[in-house]
Amino acid sequence: MSFNLSSTPISIRPSTVELKNSFLNQRNIEIAIRALSRDGLVVLEDMVDHAVLDRLNEKMVKDAYDLQARKDSPFNYNKGNIQQDPPMTAEWFSDEIYINPIVTQVTSTCLGPKPSLHFVSGNTALPPTESSPPASQPTHNDADFEHSSIPFALVVNVPLVTMTPENGSTEVWLGTHNGTTIADQEGVHGDRASGRIKAHLLESRRETRPPSQPVVKKGSIIIRDLRLWHGGKPNLSTEPRVMLAMIHFAPWYRNQMEVEFSDELTTRLTLEKTGLHVAAKFVTSKQLQDNYLNRPYGNAYDFNQIEQIEGVF
């Protein structure tokens, strides 16, 4: 039962010693794993230097306006919410953001040692315009396929600014990763609004543990179970709200996606240095810069695994 459980996510603020050592103590790692198990989400505060975020945010806000102006703008569900890839070149790459060892400590404790990184992108909530009035995404589940009942993928979100209800903080339905199935969803993979949660399930859940639109402080990193119900909300401020998204998959999970990186990063993305199996496709820096805003989006990505074992799911 979900009665009396808070709808506010658990936040952990690592100590100075933990940040220096890039390693959570036993108490904090336990809190993180308990939160992921019960709520499907945990927030780690003070993880990324604000100057690093500010620099990348300036670049990505400019890119966001360029994407918004396109006739084929890569929007997710509505035109105020676009999928936006960051530039994965040495100039813009930050270990704190993309291969943070504390994040990997949490995901590898939950999913198993040496999880795999198969996805790096971002989600940008744009301010409303006359042609794009405020709108919400439908509440949905990113696992829009028959999926395991045990944790198999964790989304790592890094907001580049403080997220609030005003600028489009994501609405989350804590605890909904437990027991969720494909039968909860209306849309199927390939639909423009795949993964939509059925209306009667939303109303039932609202009575026991309603959703929340949490404030997430700048410098924080969010770790979320892929199966958790959530939805983008409108940005009512005057500036785009950029949030990066990576996915760590369990080491046993057979996903086939690759992430395109500049070949300048080859030596920084090894298993020995990251603790991750990075599913990397390396290209020249020029190739990456020419193409990173022209990639497929939305349902072009498939979070499912290949060759599912009959009788397991």
Side-chain angles (χ1 to χ4, degrees):
M1 297 293 289
S2 300
F3 290 107
N4 300 320
L5 289 179
S6 173
S7 294
T8 302
I10 295 293
S11 292
I12 297 170
R13 181 178 295 172
S15 67
T16 302
V17 172
E18 288 172 298
L19 291 172
K20 180 180 179 181
N21 294 334
S22 299
F23 198 79
L24 295 181
N25 62 31
Q26 285 181 306
R27 178 176 177 78
N28 277 337
I29 192 67
E30 179 188 4
I31 293 170
I33 298 305
R34 283 181 178 271
L36 285 170
S37 176
R38 187 191 72 177
D39 300 336
L41 188 146
V42 67
V43 179
L44 306 175
E45 297 183 353
D46 297 334
M47 295 284 286
V48 186
D49 183 84
H50 288 198
V52 172
L53 296 171
D54 290 342
R55 180 172 177 271
L56 182 57
N57 188 59
E58 183 177 0
K59 167 66 172 171
M60 293 192 67
V61 165
K62 179 181 180 300
D63 287 349
Y65 284 126
D66 290 343
L67 289 172
Q68 184 184 35
R70 294 183 180 182
K71 291 183 179 180
D72 60 344
S73 180
F75 67 90
N76 282 323
Y77 300 104
N78 65 71
K79 292 184 178 180
N81 191 291
I82 61 171
Q83 184 169 330
Q84 177 183 0
D85 284 12
M88 303 302 288
T89 61
E91 179 183 4
W92 299 104
F93 189 87
S94 165
D95 290 9
E96 289 178 77
I97 291 175
Y98 297 107
I99 50 173
N100 192 296
I102 288 179
V103 171
T104 302
Q105 180 192 5
V106 173
T107 62
S108 62
T109 303
C110 181
L111 300 173
K114 302 179 181 67
S116 298
L117 174 65
H118 283 273
F119 180 85
V120 177
S121 190
N123 168 277
T124 299
L126 296 163
T129 65
E130 287 187 11
S131 61
S132 179
S136 297
Q137 290 182 342
T139 301
H140 62 280
N141 182 337
D142 288 338
D144 58 352
F145 47 84
E146 292 283 358
H147 53 268
S148 175
S149 61
I150 61 174
F152 64 90
L154 295 173
V155 181
V156 179
N157 287 132
V158 183
L160 302 188
V161 297
T162 293
M163 290 203 310
T164 68
E166 182 187 15
N167 70 7
S169 177
T170 303
E171 181 180 81
V172 293
W173 297 66
L174 298 184
T176 52
H177 64 303
N178 287 319
T180 186
T181 72
I182 191 69
D184 299 337
Q185 304 173 22
E186 292 179 342
V188 297
H189 187 74
D191 287 351
R192 187 63 171 178
S194 64
R196 293 179 304 255
I197 303 301
K198 294 177 179 178
H200 74 278
L201 296 177
L202 295 176
E203 292 311 308
S204 175
R205 183 70 183 186
R206 195 182 298 275
E207 292 178 2
T208 58
R209 196 177 188 189
S212 65
Q213 219 184 329
V215 173
V216 180
K217 297 176 183 177
K218 184 177 179 179
S220 299
I221 296 180
I222 307 157
I223 303 177
R224 167 178 67 82
D225 194 297
L226 185 78
R227 300 167 294 171
L228 193 76
W229 299 358
H230 65 287
K233 306 299 286 184
N235 179 356
L236 303 178
S237 74
T238 59
E239 294 292 331
R241 188 276 298 145
V242 182
M243 181 176 70
L244 302 177
M246 293 147 273
I247 303 180
H248 291 194
F249 289 93
W252 49 265
Y253 194 80
R254 300 175 299 280
N255 185 268
Q256 296 300 294
M257 296 185 299
E258 291 182 322
V259 182
E260 199 171 80
F261 295 93
S262 166
D263 55 14
E264 310 159 293
L265 298 171
T266 304
T267 59
R268 293 171 66 177
L269 296 174
T270 65
L271 175 63
E272 292 73 23
K273 289 190 176 181
T274 66
L276 294 165
H277 289 283
V278 180
K281 177 182 178 182
F282 292 107
V283 299
T284 67
S285 178
K286 183 179 186 308
Q287 285 177 299
L288 193 137
Q289 291 180 53
D290 288 345
N291 295 326
Y292 78 96
L293 293 180
N294 300 314
R295 297 201 185 105
Y297 59 94
N299 279 315
Y301 292 96
D302 190 351
F303 302 153
N304 203 351
Q305 65 173 341
I306 62 168
E307 301 174 3
Q308 290 186 349
I309 302 172
E310 187 176 354
V312 171
F313 298 100

Coordinates of all heavy atoms in Angstrom, one line a residue, residues 173 197-210 229:
W173 N 5.7 10.2 -10.5 CA 4.7 9.4 -9.7 C 5.5 8.3 -8.9 O 5.7 7.2 -9.4 CB 3.7 8.7 -10.6 CG 2.8 9.7 -11.4 CD1 3.2 10.6 -12.3 CD2 1.4 9.9 -11.2 NE1 2.1 11.3 -12.8 CE2 1.0 10.9 -12.1 CE3 0.4 9.3 -10.4 CZ2 -0.3 11.3 -12.3 CZ3 -0.9 9.7 -10.5 CH2 -1.2 10.7 -11.4
I197 N 0.0 6.2 -19.8 CA -0.7 5.4 -18.8 C -2.2 5.6 -18.8 O -2.7 6.7 -19.0 CB -0.1 5.8 -17.4 CG1 1.4 5.7 -17.3 CG2 -0.8 5.0 -16.3 CD1 1.9 4.3 -17.6
K198 N -2.9 4.6 -18.7 CA -4.4 4.6 -18.8 C -5.0 5.5 -17.7 O -4.5 5.6 -16.6 CB -5.0 3.2 -18.7 CG -4.6 2.3 -19.9 CD -5.1 0.9 -19.7 CE -4.7 0.0 -20.9 NZ -5.2 -1.4 -20.7
A199 N -6.0 6.3 -18.2 CA -6.6 7.3 -17.3 C -7.1 6.8 -16.0 O -6.9 7.4 -14.9 CB -7.7 8.1 -18.1
H200 N -7.7 5.7 -16.0 CA -8.3 5.2 -14.7 C -7.2 4.8 -13.7 O -7.4 4.8 -12.5 CB -9.3 4.0 -15.0 CG -8.6 2.7 -15.4 ND1 -8.2 2.4 -16.6 CD2 -8.3 1.6 -14.6 CE1 -7.6 1.2 -16.7 NE2 -7.7 0.7 -15.4
L201 N -6.1 4.3 -14.2 CA -5.0 4.0 -13.4 C -4.4 5.2 -12.7 O -4.0 5.2 -11.5 CB -3.9 3.2 -14.1 CG -4.3 1.9 -14.7 CD1 -3.2 1.2 -15.5 CD2 -4.7 0.9 -13.5
L202 N -4.3 6.3 -13.5 CA -3.8 7.6 -12.9 C -4.7 8.1 -11.8 O -4.3 8.5 -10.7 CB -3.7 8.6 -14.0 CG -2.8 8.4 -15.2 CD1 -2.9 9.5 -16.2 CD2 -1.3 8.3 -14.6
E203 N -6.0 8.0 -12.0 CA -7.0 8.5 -11.0 C -6.9 7.6 -9.7 O -7.0 8.1 -8.6 CB -8.4 8.5 -11.6 CG -8.6 9.5 -12.6 CD -8.1 10.9 -12.2 OE1 -8.5 11.4 -11.1 OE2 -7.3 11.5 -13.0
S204 N -6.8 6.3 -9.9 CA -6.6 5.4 -8.8 C -5.4 5.7 -8.0 O -5.4 5.8 -6.8 CB -6.7 4.0 -9.3 OG -6.5 3.1 -8.2
R205 N -4.3 5.9 -8.7 CA -3.0 6.2 -8.1 C -3.0 7.5 -7.3 O -2.4 7.7 -6.3 CB -1.9 6.1 -9.1 CG -0.5 6.3 -8.5 CD -0.1 5.1 -7.7 NE 1.2 5.3 -7.1 CZ 1.9 4.3 -6.4 NH1 1.3 3.1 -6.3 NH2 3.1 4.6 -5.9
R206 N -3.7 8.5 -7.9 CA -3.7 9.8 -7.4 C -4.3 9.8 -6.0 O -4.0 10.6 -5.1 CB -4.5 10.8 -8.3 CG -4.3 12.2 -8.0 CD -5.1 13.1 -8.9 NE -4.8 12.9 -10.3 CZ -3.8 13.6 -10.9 NH1 -3.1 14.4 -10.2 NH2 -3.5 13.4 -12.2
E207 N -5.2 8.9 -5.7 CA -5.9 8.8 -4.4 C -5.0 8.2 -3.3 O -5.3 8.5 -2.2 CB -7.2 7.9 -4.6 CG -8.3 8.6 -5.4 CD -9.5 7.6 -5.6 OE1 -9.4 6.5 -5.0 OE2 -10.4 8.0 -6.3
T208 N -4.0 7.5 -3.7 CA -3.2 6.8 -2.7 C -1.8 7.5 -2.6 O -1.3 7.7 -1.5 CB -3.0 5.3 -3.0 OG1 -2.4 5.2 -4.3 CG2 -4.3 4.6 -3.0
R209 N -1.2 7.9 -3.7 CA 0.1 8.6 -3.7 C 0.2 9.5 -4.9 O 0.6 9.0 -6.0 CB 1.3 7.6 -3.7 CG 2.6 8.2 -3.2 CD 3.7 7.2 -3.2 NE 4.9 7.8 -2.6 CZ 6.1 7.2 -2.5 NH1 6.2 6.0 -3.0 NH2 7.1 7.8 -2.0
P210 N -0.3 10.7 -4.8 CA -0.3 11.6 -5.9 C 1.0 11.9 -6.5 O 2.1 11.8 -5.8 CB -1.1 12.8 -5.4 CG -0.8 12.8 -3.9 CD -0.7 11.3 -3.5
W229 N 6.4 6.1 -13.8 CA 5.5 7.0 -14.5 C 6.0 8.4 -14.3 O 6.3 8.8 -13.2 CB 4.1 6.9 -13.9 CG 3.5 5.5 -14.0 CD1 4.0 4.4 -14.6 CD2 2.2 5.2 -13.5 NE1 3.1 3.3 -14.5 CE2 2.0 3.8 -13.8 CE3 1.2 5.9 -12.9 CZ2 0.8 3.1 -13.5 CZ3 0.0 5.2 -12.5 CH2 -0.2 3.9 -12.8

